[in-house]
Amino acid sequence: ITGAARGIGYLTAKFMAERGCNLILHSRDANHTKKVYDEVCAMGVKAFCVSAELSDLDAVKKMLEEIDSFGVEVDIVLNNAGMQIAYRTDYFATPVEDYTESFKINTVAPAMICYHFLPKMIKKGFGRILNTTSGIRLEPEQAGYSASKAALDKITIDLGSKINGTDVMINLTDPGWCRTDLGGPNAPNSPESAIPGIVVGLIFFISGLVCTSVLPDVLSSVITEFALPSNLYEVIWSLIAIFIAQFKTYGVISTLVGVALLSLGLTLGK
């Protein structure tokens, strides 16, 4: 999990640890992940901490080499970390650095992580990658950020087209505008509201099939833990059934499910 020290990455790390997932926790500084590391280890899982400034692509490469040295298989990747450089009221004066820095952090670094782990997942026949995108559009004030996320969308969708029909999946999640360090205190949504769409995107399919004995419990626990309306469970489960009946392929198609679930979470779980 990149950006695991706070916000959505922190909440996802704890949620996955509670369900027995061993974790690799990334932040810019390893000291930042000490709190979440201690908390997830107390839940009985194994965890590692890695650090890299994602704008430093050599540091990203070294981080990936360090992860390989752990000797563990990575089954799930959440590319959560991102950076909103600035909001430019005078958008015609947007500096080039808004684009170069945004693309390194929000596009190139996640792509490097995808390219590193996706072949390993394909070789072993299982894997999940979830990339965090943004729905910002028609706002030239945030052009560097939104363009970098649009580029990540393109990479994700194109990679997904190569693994349809396998038990390896690469998807997108859009948490919306949440009250995190990136989103600021005036954002309308709590970071907890994004967790349903994220965790469903991470663990939705088990061995290429919907695991009907596990998924209802996962959804129920999401709704209970984050105090979402009880009727959300029924709505989500019905929506899943519709999508399964409609689509018989996997890979990027499942993104539609994650986005729909996320939208419900944001609408009903504020």
Side-chain angles (χ1 to χ4, degrees):
I1 299 176
T2 65
R6 57 194 182 191
I8 291 170
Y10 169 80
L11 292 172
T12 304
K14 290 185 65 178
F15 187 93
M16 299 299 281
E18 287 169 353
R19 282 140 192 91
C21 292
N22 298 322
L23 298 167
I24 300 172
L25 307 166
H26 158 268
S27 64
R28 287 180 293 177
D29 184 326
N31 291 325
H32 296 166
T33 49
K34 185 180 186 308
K35 179 176 184 289
V36 66
Y37 173 83
D38 290 342
E39 290 176 352
V40 299
C41 287
M43 299 177 193
V45 303
K46 189 174 183 179
F48 302 88
C49 293
V50 296
S51 61
E53 172 53 66
L54 297 186
S55 63
D56 182 347
L57 301 182
D58 287 335
V60 175
K61 183 178 178 181
K62 290 178 182 177
M63 178 190 73
L64 293 171
E65 292 172 351
E66 181 182 3
I67 292 172
D68 286 344
S69 74
F70 296 153
V72 299
E73 290 190 351
V74 175
D75 297 309
I76 299 171
V77 171
L78 173 58
N79 274 316
N80 164 72
M83 176 65 73
Q84 162 61 292
I85 300 298
Y87 188 93
R88 305 292 182 183
T89 304
D90 183 7
Y91 46 82
F92 289 127
T94 298
V96 171
E97 290 77 13
D98 279 16
Y99 286 93
T100 55
E101 290 303 297
S102 293
F103 269 77
K104 281 190 290 186
I105 296 169
N106 300 329
T107 310
V108 180
M112 290 174 66
I113 294 169
C114 291
Y115 294 149
H116 186 81
F117 290 111
L118 194 56
K120 303 174 191 292
M121 293 176 176
I122 292 171
K123 184 176 180 180
K124 69 181 177 183
F126 178 86
R128 306 286 183 266
I129 297 178
L130 191 63
N131 292 330
T132 305
T133 186
S134 171
I136 293 174
R137 59 192 296 270
L138 305 180
E139 288 193 43
E141 297 89 348
Q142 304 184 70
Y145 177 74
S146 60
S148 68
K149 289 296 189 178
L152 182 61
D153 292 356
K154 176 65 173 172
I155 293 169
T156 303
I157 292 169
D158 287 356
L159 287 174
S161 72
K162 299 298 185 181
I163 54 175
N164 277 341
T166 75
D167 203 12
V168 178
M169 299 170 61
I170 180 168
N171 294 315
L172 294 162
T173 183
D174 180 358
W177 187 11
C178 294
R179 292 185 292 275
T180 62
D181 286 356
L182 188 150
N186 297 321
N189 302 312
S190 70
E192 288 84 358
S193 68
I195 302 305
I198 289 172
V199 298
V200 169
L202 291 174
I203 59 178
F204 182 73
F205 284 101
I206 307 297
S207 300
L209 298 172
V210 175
C211 185
T212 55
S213 63
V214 173
L215 187 55
D217 291 337
V218 172
L219 292 176
S220 181
S221 63
V222 169
I223 291 166
T224 300
E225 183 164 342
F226 296 107
L228 301 182
S230 60
N231 66 326
L232 181 59
Y233 175 90
E234 184 176 349
V235 173
I236 290 176
W237 195 238
S238 298
L239 185 62
I240 290 171
I242 292 170
F243 271 93
I244 293 170
Q246 184 76 18
F247 300 106
K248 298 300 182 182
T249 59
Y250 307 111
V252 80
I253 288 297
S254 67
T255 300
L256 298 174
V257 178
V259 170
L261 294 178
L262 178 60
S263 298
L264 285 170
L266 290 174
T267 301
L268 301 177
K270 290 180 182 179

